[in-house]
Each structure stands twice: as C-alpha cells, then as structure tokens.
Amino acid sequence: MSSDLHPNVPDTEYRGLVGLLPAAARPYALLARLDRPIGWWLLFWPCTWGVALAGGAVLRWDLLLWLLLGSVAMRGAGCVYNDIVDRDLDKQVERTRSRPLASGAVSLKAAWIWLGLLCLVGLGVWFQLNLTAKLVALGSLALVAGYPFMKRVTWWPQAWLGMVFSWGALVGWLAIEAGFSWAMMLLYAGSIFWVIGFDTIYALQDREDDALVGIRSSALRLGDNVRAGVLVFYALALASWAAAFWIVRPEILGLTALIPMALHLVWQVSSLNTRDGEDALVKFRSNRFAGFLMFLACLVLGQAG
C-alpha cells in the first residue's frame, strides 16, 4: 500500500498486524481503527466491570471473550459510521485528513458495506446474551447514531461519548443479574465521568484544528482549566464507583480495592501537560491500564460480595 494511506496520527499501530494485511484490505482495517486498539479496550473494560461486579467473571469467563469480540467489532463499526458522517470535516483537520474515506482510499459505498459486515459480527455476540441484556444492548444504537453530530451542537460531546462507551457496564451486569440495581447504575455513571475525563485529555491534541473548523469539545470549553476539569470528572467517577462498591459490600475494606485506580487517575492529572499533545496522548492511552485496575477491583468485590 502506498505511504499516503498511512494515517498521520501518533497513536497508530499501523506497523503491527495491520501492516501484514494484503494491500487492498489495509484501508478497511484503518477505517475501523484496527491499527489503534486503545479504542476497543476502552469500550471493553466497562463491559468487564459489569460482569465482574455482578459476580460472574469467573463462572462466565466465556462471556468476557464474547464481549471482547463485540467490543472490537462494534468499536470498528462506530468508527466507520463516524467517518461516513464526518468525511467532509475530516478533510479539514490535519490529524484526520488521511483517513480512508476523507482521502478517497475507500469509497462511500464500500464503507457502508464494511459497516454492515462489522455489525453482523456484533449481532453474533448479541445472541450470546440473555433477553434483558439483549434489549438493553439495543438501546445503545440510538446513542451511537447520535454521537457524530454532538460535536456540532454541544461543547460536551465527551459526555455523549461517555454514555456510549459506558453502555457495556449495563449490558455486562444484566448478562449476569437480569434485574435493576443501583450498584449497576452507579457503576455506569462512574464510567461516564471517567470517559469524559480521558476523552477531554485526548481532545487536547486537536484544540487548534477544532477551533478553526468549528468543532466543539470539552477541551476547548474548559480552556486553561482542563486539568482542574479532568480532576473533577475523575473524582466524580471514583465517588460513583465507591457508592456502587458500598452497595455490593458495605464495608470500608471493600473500598480499598479502588485505591490503585485512584492513584493512577491522580497520576494522570498531576503529571498532565495540557500544552503537549504527545503527553496528552500518553495519558489518554494509559487508561487501558486504568480499565484493567478497575476490572481487578470489581473482580475482588464481585467474588467477595
């Protein structure tokens, strides 16, 4: 494949498995962001939190694998859909103008077909869920469909993304416990605040281009108060998760499971250089590890609760 199809973004892992694909297939892998696995990790972790906190991570380890496959496929489908909607805007932003649709490497018709195939994989995962989880999973489709338009109408598209990326916490919980729980809702709320925080950090990379083309983001809205804003969102996330943990196991000892996650989030905020896009990317990507720490906390509580 010619070098002009290499995405001009620092977080790509293009030279990994994607680089081994046949030349004709690589633009489709890039369109689904398969070269950037951080996205599906961040979609996957809330799913595991729901399963683990509900007490099903050990007995339903197979479900975790299905949810991983679903996260890869549906994150890819979401990216394809987003690029279909944003193909004209992407041409105006330095970091996104080389994306397959914006650059012309993939046609609009082919993108729609690729989107359909990814959704079929997601459908296969959907059939592994119980009825309650299936119905709730369907509810995410409206949120996914609306997300690409949020950056045009609100300064807080990160909040909408938080609802989308955190939906798996509800699905994961209900796949184990098919009934309403305040612990489930607080886990979901905490995940939303977490996503707002880390996606605000991610948006620091695009502040100048976003301002020029009229794209709105929490990073622009917060201005010089990004670090303080992210700290508030992370604090709200931890408070929500602590409340969820307390419902599952009302003991102070249970809350200590959150300490590693809390320390990691404090490190992110305290060391964040809001003027350095590369540092922002490092902090953003570290949330893959943060998600794992939260999974371990949910696993401990879920098995002990």
Side-chain angles (χ1 to χ4, degrees), residues 154-206:
T154 176
W155 287 103
W156 297 96
Q158 282 70 27
W160 194 275
L161 183 70
M163 291 189 290
V164 173
F165 263 60
S166 302
W167 202 261
L170 303 178
V171 175
W173 178 286
L174 292 171
I176 303 301
E177 294 285 344
F180 176 86
S181 167
W182 281 112
M184 173 188 71
M185 297 306 299
L186 287 163
L187 182 69
Y188 176 62
S191 182
I192 292 174
F193 291 128
W194 175 61
V195 174
I196 296 173
F198 73 61
D199 202 54
T200 297
I201 292 175
Y202 186 75
L204 289 171
Q205 301 174 90
D206 295 330

Side-chain angles (χ1 to χ4, degrees), residues 56-191:
V58 174
L59 291 177
R60 290 302 316 273
W61 60 268
D62 60 312
L63 177 62
L64 295 178
L65 296 179
W66 280 111
L67 291 172
L68 176 59
L69 176 61
S71 297
V72 175
M74 296 315 294
R75 186 267 185 150
C79 289
V80 174
Y81 174 68
N82 184 80
D83 283 10
I84 289 173
V85 174
D86 281 354
R87 59 190 184 277
D88 293 328
L89 275 178
D90 284 345
K91 295 176 183 179
Q92 304 176 56
V93 177
E94 178 64 28
R95 191 176 59 84
T96 59
R97 65 181 50 169
S98 60
R99 286 177 175 175
L101 262 175
S103 67
V106 174
S107 70
L108 182 59
K109 179 180 179 180
W112 279 111
I113 294 173
W114 181 218
L115 173 60
L117 293 174
L118 289 168
C119 288
L120 284 177
V121 176
L123 182 64
V125 175
W126 184 77
F127 279 117
Q128 310 307 313
L129 304 173
N130 60 37
L131 179 59
T132 305
K134 282 179 179 175
L135 293 175
V136 171
L138 288 177
S140 68
L141 297 180
L143 292 174
V144 172
Y147 171 67
F149 304 99
M150 291 302 106
K151 64 177 74 73
R152 297 168 170 85
V153 299
T154 176
W155 287 103
W156 297 96
Q158 282 70 27
W160 194 275
L161 183 70
M163 291 189 290
V164 173
F165 263 60
S166 302
W167 202 261
L170 303 178
V171 175
W173 178 286
L174 292 171
I176 303 301
E177 294 285 344
F180 176 86
S181 167
W182 281 112
M184 173 188 71
M185 297 306 299
L186 287 163
L187 182 69
Y188 176 62
S191 182

